[in-house]
Amino acid sequence: MRDYETYDQPKEGPSISDRFNAFVRWLSRRPMESWGFFIAGLIIARILF
C-alpha cells in the first residue's frame, strides 16, 4: 500500500533549468547539421518576430 500512496502523489513538473539542460543534452547528441538548422531557425524567428 505504501508504494501506491507514494506513486499516486502529484509530482512537481520539471523546472525550466531542468528542461533547458535536457534540451542541451539532446542537442549535443545531434550531428552538426542539426545545430545549423537550429541556429537558422532562431535567426529566422528573430527576423519575423
Side-chain angles (χ1 to χ4, degrees):
M1 187 70 175
R2 180 174 290 171
D3 291 336
Y4 176 75
E5 291 171 355
T6 57
Y7 177 75
D8 197 33
Q9 296 296 324
K11 298 179 182 177
E12 289 185 21
S15 67
I16 291 178
S17 63
D18 290 341
R19 287 189 217 164
F20 180 73
N21 289 336
F23 176 70
V24 169
R25 280 193 309 271
W26 175 82
L27 199 55
S28 68
R29 292 188 307 250
R30 299 288 161 261
M32 190 53 80
E33 291 83 13
S34 295
W35 279 96
F37 284 117
F38 176 71
I39 293 171
L42 287 177
I43 293 171
I44 292 171
R46 180 66 182 145
I47 290 171
L48 294 177
F49 303 106

